[in-house]
Structure formats: C-alpha cells, structure tokens
C-alpha cells in the first residue's frame, strides 16, 4: 500500500540532502587524491586500475545488502535509512583522518577498502531516503538537489587540494615513498565534514513511519532466527533481480560504458598532465583538482536548472545529450597544452556530471515499487560498481599493451566510451511517462 507523502518546502529538501555534502567530499578525495597518493608511495601507472578495485568490490557487496536491510529496518527513534548512513559516515571519517599518514602502499590500499565500505554504507540508503520522503512530483527536484551537493562536496574537496598545494606545496620537496604534508589538511577537513553534515540531515529530517502492513512484515522478520535474518537481504536481492523492470536492464548497458569511462578518467588525468604539461606529480595532482573543481562548479550551477529541462524535453534526451558533451570534453583535453585553457572542456563535463548524478535516479524511482526502493537503489549502484570492477581488472593490460602505456590514449578511450553510452541512453523510455 502506498503512503501519501506531503510536499516538502525547498529548505526541507535542502536540509535532508546536506549529508550528501560530506559523503561526496570523501568521494572527491578518492577521485583526485587517492591515485596521486598511490603514485607517491611507488605504484606504477599500469597498476592504478587494480589498486582501485576496492571501490567496485565494496560497492557490489555493501550497497545492495545495506539497501535490502534498510528496507526491513524501522526504529521509532532512529528511523529506517538514517542509522546506516550515520554508521557509514563515522567509519569514513575515521579513515579520512588516517589516510594521509599511510607509511607504505599496502597500508593506503587497505584503508581505501575500509573507506569505501563506509562511503557505500552511507550513500546507498541516502538515495532511497530521498525517494521515501518525496512525492513523485518532487522526485526530480530531490535528486537534482543531491546532484547539487555532489558538485559542492567534490568542489570543496578539490578546492582544498588546490589551495593547500598552492600555499604549502613549494615548502615540501617530493620524496619517493612519502606523502607530502600539504595533502594532509584536505583529508582532515573531510573527516570533520563527513560526520558533521550527516548529523545535520539526521537531526533535521524525520523519516516517514512504515505503514501497518510494512511494520507487521518488519516485526515478522525480526522474530525469525538469526540465520534466516542474515540470509534475508541476499534472498531480497535475488528476488528483486528476477522481478527487475526492463528499464533497469537498459540502464545497466548505459552504465557499463559510462562508469568504465569515468574510472579511466579519474585514474589517468594526473598521469596525463605529467605528460602533456610536463608537471611533477604534485603539480599534476593540483591541475587534476582544478579540473574537478571546475566541472563541479558547473554541476552546482546547472543541477537544478536541469529540472525544468527534463520536465520539458524528457530525461532521456537531456541525459543522452549530456553524455555526448562529456565525451567531446575528453576528446579535447589531451590536445590542450595550456593549464588554463584545458579547464574549458570541464564545462561540458560538469553538465554531464550533473545529469549523471540526478536523472537516472529520478527515472528509476518512478519505475520500481515503493516498498522495495532500497534494494533497487542498491542494485542500481551494483550497475555502477560492476563496470568499475571490470575496468580495474581489464584496463591495466589494455593501457599497457593496446594503448602503448599512454595516458593520452587512455583519456581518448574514455571519451569514445561516453559516446557509446549516449547512444544507448536513447533507449531509456520510462513506462507510462512522457519520457
């Protein structure tokens, strides 16, 4: 039975999404700072994909399980989704404080695994949280507000990297096997933001209680033996995959190419600038952060503007067009040897990032059952991490043997994958909807 949901004010929707700021700050550090840290600690470039396998594996395991568990959770005091993203934020915060002091490569890789568990535990229920709270007419605003905070969080993360490298980078000489101290401060800020912003949303936003039927089912599950309760999320995931709408199978094809390409970009943009601009690792990391800073500023500006455009022209068309723009941006970047001019393609990338972080979630929320939204959001995120996992296992040999060990070719390869994802996005027709 569907529960009638009251419309929320702009500021209520804003407050419920503030926690995404801290989560995305942490992801911003992963996108821009983790691979330079691996390089500082002696990792060869062709090993970067496999060293990033923590994200795909933890996302594949953690997100759908947490989604299924949160569907069957209710506490009058803590709610349904909030306990999970609060615990995840605490775990992520502790890892961010520890990360820059990693003494050796294996320690940093191990911390990345734990950090990814925390981030995935926090992020998946957050997607379902928005769907739980908002009526269908406000879903687009809710998810594009999340997209805005995605941009804001990653913007702050990369802005801090640029700032501290500018202020303190010249004071430290790069020493093989060690992480420069100017990078520490960005992680410390992230550790504070991770928990502070989640607490803001937890305290400001009450969850909608389950219906009598849902509560009866939740209490019935609690009465089962511990073994059955542990097995429940896995059976929920299997059942949801069997019943999955055809739309989600189509979006999985888009995501295969989109997220493979994004992972390639994040891993090889720093090596690219060492090649095209002749930078040191610190200078290249700072330039990469400026790229991310630029596209996330654009994301913040355009995220909410996409709402009326998707309502007028349909999410499918706006999404596909944004993916084309992102591909064109990656085709341009390797051929620009000016550190300021190379920021220009990030306008297209930022529009694409805003669409990627909002439009698919709005579409999926319209086609999945309300009482299984958590598990389906988890499955949607499986569709993100599986391509990332494939990339970590396959792109190292592709980079080394097919692309000549060239970061230029790697970025062009990612651009081609974005164009393919745009073509596939034109198949995304939401049932019973004008899109």
């Amino acid at each position: 039975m569907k529960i009638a949901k009251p419309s929320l004010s702009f500021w209520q929707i804003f407050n419920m999404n503030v926690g995404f700021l801290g989560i995305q700050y942490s992801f911003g550090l992963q996108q821009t700072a983790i691979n330079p840290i691996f390089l500082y600690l002696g990792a060869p470039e062709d090993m970067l994909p496999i060293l990033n396998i923590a994200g795909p594996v933890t996302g594949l395991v953690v997100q759908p399980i947490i989604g299924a568990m949160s569907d069957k959770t209710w506490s009058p005091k803590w709610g349904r989704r909030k306990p999970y993203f609060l615990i995840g934020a605490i775990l992520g915060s502790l890892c961010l404080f520890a990360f820059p002091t990693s003494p050796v490569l294996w320690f940093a890789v191990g911390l990345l695994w734990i950090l990814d568990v925390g981030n995935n535990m926090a992020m998946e229920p957050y997607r379902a949280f928005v769907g739980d709270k908002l009526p269908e007419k406000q879903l687009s605003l809710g998810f594009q507000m999340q997209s805005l905070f995605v941009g804001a969080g990653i913007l702050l993360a990369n802005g801090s990297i640029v700032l501290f490298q500018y202020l303190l980078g010249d004071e430290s000489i790069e020493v093989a096997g060690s992480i420069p101290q100017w990078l520490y401060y960005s992680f410390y800020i992230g550790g504070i933001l991770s928990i502070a912003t989640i607490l803001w949303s937890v305290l400001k936003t009450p969850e909608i209680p389950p219906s009598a039927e849902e509560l009866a089912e939740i209490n019935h599950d609690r009465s089962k033996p511990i073994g059955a309760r542990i097995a429940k999320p896995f059976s929920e995931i299997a059942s949801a995959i069997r019943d999955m709408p055809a739309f989600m199978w189509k979006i999985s094809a888009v995501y295969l190419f989109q997220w493979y390409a994004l992972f390639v970009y994040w891993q090889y943009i720093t090596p690219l600038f060492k090649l095209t601009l002749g930078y040191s690792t610190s200078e290249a990391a700072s330039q990469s952060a400026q790229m991310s800073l630029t596209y996330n500023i654009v994301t913040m500006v355009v995220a909410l503007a996409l709402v009326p455009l998707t309502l007028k022209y349909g999410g499918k068309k706006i999404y596909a067009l944004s993916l084309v723009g992102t591909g064109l941006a990656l085709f341009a970047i390797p051929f620009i040897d000016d550190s300021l001019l190379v920021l220009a393609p990030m306008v297209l990338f930022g529009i694409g990032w805003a669409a990627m972080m909002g439009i698919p979630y709005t579409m999926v929320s319209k086609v999945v059952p309300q009482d299984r939204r958590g598990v389906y959001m988890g499955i949607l995120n499986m569709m993100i991490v599986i391509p990332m996992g494939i990339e970590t296992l396959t792109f190292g040999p592709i980079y080394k043997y097919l692309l000549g060990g060239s970061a230029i070719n790697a970025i062009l390869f990612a651009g081609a994958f974005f164009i393919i994802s745009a073509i596939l996005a034109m198949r995304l027709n939401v049932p019973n909807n004008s899109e």
Side-chain angles (χ1 to χ4, degrees):
M1 185 183 87
K2 282 196 172 185
I3 299 173
K5 304 172 189 177
S7 295
L8 301 186
S9 71
F10 177 89
W11 290 111
Q12 286 174 314
I13 297 173
F14 181 93
N15 284 333
M16 71 185 290
N17 282 298
V18 165
F20 229 61
L21 179 73
I23 296 170
Q24 294 302 320
Y25 186 104
S26 180
F27 273 111
L29 291 179
Q30 283 187 245
Q31 291 173 14
T32 305
I34 297 301
N35 287 299
I37 283 176
F38 289 161
L39 294 173
Y40 286 129
L41 296 176
E45 287 182 9
D46 64 293
M47 288 292 291
L48 290 179
I50 197 67
L51 293 177
N52 281 269
I53 199 170
V57 172
T58 56
L60 183 63
V61 174
V62 172
Q63 291 203 23
I65 292 174
I66 293 298
M69 289 174 64
S70 67
D71 280 342
K72 303 302 180 185
T73 296
W74 176 252
S75 163
K77 182 177 181 179
W78 295 105
R80 170 176 285 178
R81 316 291 183 184
K82 292 192 290 188
Y84 296 96
F85 51 73
L86 182 58
I87 294 169
I90 293 171
L91 187 61
S93 181
L94 293 174
C95 288
L96 288 174
F97 280 114
F99 215 107
T101 60
S102 300
V104 290
L105 181 61
W106 68 263
F107 188 90
V109 172
L111 272 179
L112 179 59
W113 280 84
I114 302 171
L115 177 63
D116 265 313
V117 169
N119 283 340
N120 282 298
M121 191 172 182
M123 187 170 72
E124 195 287 327
Y126 224 123
R127 298 291 193 186
F129 179 56
V130 171
D132 291 343
K133 286 285 292 182
L134 296 178
E136 185 168 313
K137 65 182 181 180
Q138 289 190 308
L139 283 175
S140 183
L141 176 59
F143 284 113
Q144 287 305 137
M145 183 72 78
Q146 276 198 351
S147 183
L148 184 149
F149 277 109
V150 169
I154 300 176
L155 185 153
L156 288 174
N158 287 281
S160 71
I161 292 172
V162 173
L163 177 64
F164 292 127
Q165 198 278 333
Y166 175 76
L167 294 177
L168 306 173
D170 291 339
E171 297 177 8
S172 59
I173 300 172
E174 285 187 23
V175 178
S178 67
I179 301 167
Q181 289 195 355
W182 65 264
L183 196 53
Y184 286 33
Y185 303 105
S186 294
F187 282 83
Y188 295 160
I189 292 171
I192 295 168
L193 276 180
S194 180
I195 188 64
T197 58
I198 287 287
L199 281 173
W200 179 279
S201 290
V202 165
L203 296 174
K204 289 279 188 180
T205 310
E207 293 196 64
I208 297 175
S211 66
E213 292 87 348
E214 286 180 300
L215 191 57
E217 186 178 349
I218 290 169
N219 289 331
H220 176 68
D221 288 336
R222 285 176 178 170
S223 68
K224 292 180 179 179
I226 186 66
R229 291 167 64 184
I230 292 172
K232 181 71 173 178
F234 297 95
S235 63
E236 286 283 340
I237 294 165
S239 173
I241 291 174
R242 284 195 302 270
D243 300 336
M244 194 159 69
F247 176 87
M248 290 191 67
W249 290 109
K250 291 180 181 179
I251 206 167
S252 70
V254 180
Y255 271 23
L256 174 62
F257 291 93
Q258 172 187 305
W259 287 99
Y260 193 111
L262 280 167
F263 231 39
V264 171
Y265 170 81
W266 289 329
Q267 290 164 6
Y268 286 96
I269 191 64
T270 295
L272 176 80
F273 290 134
K274 294 176 72 174
L275 189 63
T276 60
L277 299 179
Y279 280 168
S280 66
T281 301
S282 288
E283 291 169 331
S286 178
Q287 182 68 38
S288 299
Q290 291 176 55
M291 302 288 279
S292 189
L293 190 66
T294 304
Y295 79 71
N296 281 286
I297 289 173
V298 175
T299 295
M300 285 186 63
V301 172
V302 306
L304 297 185
L306 291 179
V307 175
L309 288 176
T310 56
L311 291 174
K312 182 175 181 180
Y313 298 107
K316 175 182 73 174
K317 294 177 182 177
I318 300 301
Y319 183 34
L321 190 60
S322 74
L323 292 173
V324 171
T326 308
L328 293 176
L330 295 194
F331 287 147
I333 289 168
F335 301 104
I336 302 174
D337 58 6
D338 183 276
S339 61
L340 290 178
L341 188 59
V342 78
L343 300 176
M346 291 293 97
V347 174
L348 290 175
F349 198 109
I351 295 170
W353 186 237
M356 289 178 238
M357 290 294 98
I359 292 174
Y361 295 95
T362 302
M363 294 170 122
V364 169
S365 281
K366 293 177 180 179
V367 301
V368 300
Q370 178 174 300
D371 61 349
R372 303 179 82 181
R373 185 174 280 118
V375 69
Y376 275 116
M377 285 297 174
I379 291 170
L380 182 63
N381 282 293
M382 287 173 64
M383 295 174 184
I384 294 174
V385 298
I386 288 172
M388 288 182 171
I390 294 171
E391 191 272 351
T392 63
L393 295 173
T394 62
F395 196 70
I398 290 172
Y399 179 76
K400 187 174 183 179
Y401 297 111
L402 296 182
L403 301 180
S406 168
I408 291 174
N409 291 336
I411 298 300
L412 294 174
F413 182 97
F417 265 37
F418 269 116
I419 300 300
I420 295 171
S421 69
I423 294 169
L424 293 171
M426 289 305 296
R427 300 167 62 241
L428 298 177
N429 297 305
V430 177
N432 301 319
N433 192 285
S434 61
E435 293 178 351

